[in-house]
Amino acid sequence: MWHRMTGTLGCLGLVLAGCGQDDATSTRAIAVGGVSGTERAAAQVLHKGNGAEPQTLDPHKSEGVPASNILRDLFEGLTIAAPNGDLMPGAAEAWEISADGLVYTFKLRAEARWSNGDPVTAADFAYGLRRSVDPKTLSRYTAILKPIANAEAIANGALPVSALGVQAVDAHTLEIRLASPAPYFLGLLNHSATYPVHRPSAEQHGDRYARPGNLVGNGAYRLAEWTVQSHIKLVRNAHYWDDADTTIDEVYYYPLENQAAELKRYRADELDFTYELPYKQLTWIRENLSDELVLAPYLGSYYYGLNTTQPPFKDNLKLRQALALAVDRNIITQQVTGAGEIPAYGWVPPVNNYQGQRMPGAELSQAEREVRAKQLYAEAGYGPENPLTLEFLYNTHQNHKSIGVAVASMWKNVLGVETRLINQEWKVFLETRRKKADTQVFRGGWIGDYKDAFTFAELFHSENAQNDPGYANLEYDRLLEAAAQERDLARRAQLLQGAEAVLLADQPLIPIYFYVTKRLVKRWVGGFQPNIMDHHYTKNMFILAH
């Protein structure tokens, strides 16, 4: 679907207008938890909005937050996150780390079982890690496994998968050897790229492995139904090692890309938990559903990627900088999103033990940035007689469209740029970005895979499969590789900060804002806690009587 944006910023009034609703949801009057306030519902069923339809539930081939949300219920890594986001034991009940930080030894739970009743063993984790790094798997997350010894050489086809630094010492002892210390490694181990895979099922079913009836997982739930563009249903895994402490029996995940429609379903009590909220209706939500509204910090960056492998951005730094400077982030975060997002002039969001860097021009006022943007635009070869025409690609999503319309208006108003907005369904959008042949500007969002600046820095390494702008800079790669080898944490932070400065000077992306989570959660959903990673396991929740 194509949208042509030729108006000025004045058109934003229509884009940002509210929905005009004037009645509060009926659920606010419902007593929750019975007389005691703690009574639980007879039917323990959770209904969750979940954004886009996942392209797969194969843990080593999936990408994107919607798939990750489901995979955390279906599988369990060596480590998991507590409801408040803290790291805690998962499939491994304990671990030891060698003095040099290079050898991690995990003791797996003896009572752990796959959803078909088979024991979960160290060999399953070793197989899963080898499968994940194997180039034949076509994982988009291979790069995050680089800390493991020989992972990079295997991914490049230089060594066989058997050379990966993992070993099943015995049925319940797994050893992982690193190429260099990685202070974030334990946090990385609850990412889907590190999940174990039930080898007999994967080898028997091949490409159909991740389907209902075929998928065998080691998490608290198992896959019961998958009706495309309708729902994904999970039911409790009776063989899960901690099933006795699990309360919810069924969880439904709904692929809802229209946030207004999701809100309607929530208000009709068809959903207990939304994926996000429509920007245009936040004011109404604050006034009428404040006790169900969750706004919290979130480790993520919202940005626009610029395809540096094709014209007009290839070898045209001044044009990339002009577009970045022309974006008024205060208008975006205050008038379009309005949920407390932080205007971003750098790539890495606030994270412990790291000083975020800022793009050239960040120190200027917005008026000064726009003057500089016009100068750079002219020096790049564009102007009133030769205006730039751009295509902006985003995945189907009303909030992304609202931001795109606003940014296109800014580019038009400040520079005279003509922008065509193109939306694609999530799976098609990812494939278009990946190919790089048919993109100029695209919507991007990166959510940290662990609490460390490196999870953002590694995205733009020239060999990262998810580097969709096609950015390549030898100095950037050198700094990242040096940081990966550095044992001194202060020096490591300096190297990563230097890399971010190089990245922002080259401007292969336009930072827009740092995320916050924004959703509605019914008052009868117990056990929910917001956290900076926005990781939520259904096994930690329960439904109160209502």
Side-chain angles (χ1 to χ4, degrees), residues 453-526:
F454 200 82
T455 185
F456 292 88
E458 66 180 345
L459 183 68
F460 287 97
H461 190 285
S462 61
E463 296 180 359
N464 192 311
Q466 292 179 294
N467 177 0
D468 291 337
Y471 176 64
N473 181 300
L474 292 176
E475 177 63 5
Y476 184 82
D477 288 356
R478 184 193 70 78
L479 288 166
L480 253 63
E481 289 158 8
Q485 300 290 328
E486 183 57 58
R487 300 188 181 190
D488 181 270
L489 295 183
R491 175 58 183 157
R492 176 179 179 271
Q494 291 175 354
L495 291 167
L496 290 174
Q497 288 161 192
E500 186 181 10
V502 170
L503 175 74
L504 294 171
D506 286 343
Q507 207 84 64
L509 77 157
I510 300 174
I512 306 294
Y513 61 74
F514 298 132
Y515 278 94
V516 295
T517 55
K518 42 191 179 292
R519 64 165 52 91
L520 289 165
V521 181
K522 294 292 188 183
R523 292 178 296 120
W524 53 69
V525 177

Side-chain angles (χ1 to χ4, degrees), residues 144 189 214 218 260 328 346-347 411 415 443 464:
I144 71 171
L189 293 175
N214 298 343
N218 71 321
D328 189 330
W347 169 232
W411 286 341
L415 302 174
R443 198 284 307 182
N464 192 311

